[in-house]
Amino acid sequence: MKKSKIFSLLAVVATAFLLVSCGKKSSSSQKTTTITVGASAVPHAQILKHVQPQLKKEGVNLKVKVFQDYVLPNKALANGDIDANYFQHIPFLKQWNEKNKGNLVDAGAVHLEPISVFSKKVKNLKNLPKNATVLVSSNTPDYGRILTIFKDAGLITIKKGVDITSADFTDIASNPKHIQFKHSYEPKLMPQLYKNNQGDAVVINANYAVQSGLNPITQSIAIEKSTSPYKNIIAIRPNEKNNKAIKKLVKALQSESTQSWIKKHYKGAVLPVESVK
């Protein structure tokens, strides 16, 4: 009887030990880290949602918060309301930091959205008439890339020694056709201005163009070259540089499979960073 009781007791203890061990292992395997990333609706939020399943397998619960403008995402990040954002290029981030005494940093580039010129009046940028009116958004960090498009078309020249990433329309050296650049519009309004046949030409960011059903590759009269330095990045606060979840996010976005998906899904309207490094 004594031996039987001892064996029964040992069996109970062993079973309890196994259950506790299994419980610990299960709890550990299910441990996840949640991060919230602010993004523009198109293409940024779409690309983030594409990598959600992959990140879930790696223990990262990715939440996407969509913003409809270029003002709030950096404020939300600086205030700690989100863990990262994905909507901007480095010149924009640099200017925002300077204006707002911020210290947000680049955690990695993902894609390029080539800015494009649309027109219902001419089929080629070079054919713009004298005194043509070109409508441009109020997003000043984009002015250098716009000037580059017009320079490459032979319509203007830029003053010597100007850093194109911080240039504006006062840096135009010559403008033989006296093209007028009007730049007082919100970026998200540009597609509607084009559809309403405003101005002789309208410059539109790719995210707003695609979101409104426009294809920069097939419908624009001029498009930014893929060698542009305006790659879209993941931005973070400096103290998040070693955040493992953020690193997994960037790795997933820069992975060959995601970059290939970007190329196929957007058909050239959004270019994967691997093709513009």
Side-chain angles (χ1 to χ4, degrees):
M1 289 292 292
K2 289 183 179 179
K3 287 184 178 180
S4 177
K5 287 181 180 179
I6 291 172
F7 286 134
S8 297
L9 181 61
L10 288 173
V12 170
V13 171
T15 302
F17 178 79
L18 285 171
L19 287 173
V20 170
S21 298
C22 289
K24 286 183 178 179
K25 185 175 182 181
S26 175
S27 174
S28 176
S29 64
Q30 292 175 4
K31 184 178 180 181
T32 60
T33 301
T34 297
I35 57 172
T36 302
V37 180
S40 297
V42 179
H44 307 81
Q46 294 174 334
I47 298 172
L48 288 172
K49 289 176 181 178
H50 174 74
V51 300
Q52 276 179 325
Q54 177 182 340
L55 289 171
K56 188 175 181 179
K57 293 177 182 178
E58 298 177 18
V60 178
N61 177 31
L62 172 62
K63 292 187 176 181
V64 181
K65 183 174 182 179
V66 176
F67 290 88
Q68 299 299 335
D69 60 30
Y70 293 161
V71 178
L72 296 177
N74 277 339
K75 287 184 178 180
L77 179 57
N79 292 337
D81 298 329
I82 55 179
D83 301 295
N85 68 39
Y86 175 35
F87 78 101
Q88 65 192 320
H89 47 62
I90 291 176
F92 184 97
L93 176 64
K94 180 181 177 182
Q95 187 180 88
W96 189 89
N97 277 334
E98 290 173 352
K99 284 187 175 181
N100 297 277
K101 296 181 180 180
N103 61 350
L104 303 181
V105 297
D106 166 24
V110 182
H111 74 269
L112 170 72
E113 296 173 25
I115 201 165
S116 308
V117 185
F118 292 79
S119 175
K120 290 182 178 290
K121 297 176 181 176
V122 296
K123 293 184 178 181
N124 191 297
L125 186 62
K126 294 180 180 180
N127 295 334
L128 280 176
K130 286 186 177 181
N131 301 308
T133 299
V134 177
L135 306 185
V136 176
S137 84
S138 57
N139 190 39
T140 55
D142 281 335
Y143 292 169
R145 62 203 302 207
I146 295 168
L147 290 171
T148 299
I149 291 175
F150 281 80
K151 177 180 71 68
D152 290 346
L155 295 172
I156 63 171
T157 61
I158 309 297
K159 294 175 182 176
K160 291 183 179 180
V162 170
D163 177 3
I164 200 64
T165 61
S166 59
D168 60 33
F169 298 105
T170 63
D171 293 311
I172 296 175
S174 64
N175 184 358
K177 287 191 174 184
H178 304 288
I179 295 170
Q180 301 174 53
F181 295 92
K182 292 190 176 182
H183 43 87
S184 58
Y185 311 95
E186 287 188 48
K188 63 183 178 182
L189 298 179
M190 305 313 290
Q192 197 58 47
L193 292 174
Y194 164 68
K195 290 178 180 181
N196 290 342
N197 203 22
Q198 300 294 305
D200 293 292
V202 181
V203 182
I204 309 177
N205 288 86
N207 60 318
Y208 289 122
V210 173
Q211 192 172 338
S212 64
L214 298 173
N215 188 317
I217 299 297
T218 60
Q219 293 176 272
S220 70
I221 62 170
I223 189 167
E224 184 177 19
K225 293 179 179 179
S226 63
T227 52
S228 167
Y230 292 83
K231 303 174 185 70
N232 279 224
I233 62 169
I234 294 292
I236 59 172
R237 295 182 297 278
N239 61 347
E240 298 290 349
K241 285 183 178 180
N242 295 319
N243 185 317
K244 291 181 180 179
I246 297 293
K247 287 184 176 182
K248 288 180 180 179
L249 169 66
V250 174
K251 185 177 180 180
L253 291 169
Q254 292 180 339
S255 68
E256 186 177 343
S257 61
T258 301
Q259 295 283 294
S260 178
W261 180 85
I262 290 172
K263 184 182 290 185
K264 291 177 181 177
H265 188 77
Y266 296 104
K267 299 176 181 178
V270 178
L271 301 172
V273 75
E274 55 87 14
S275 68
V276 292
K277 286 181 180 177

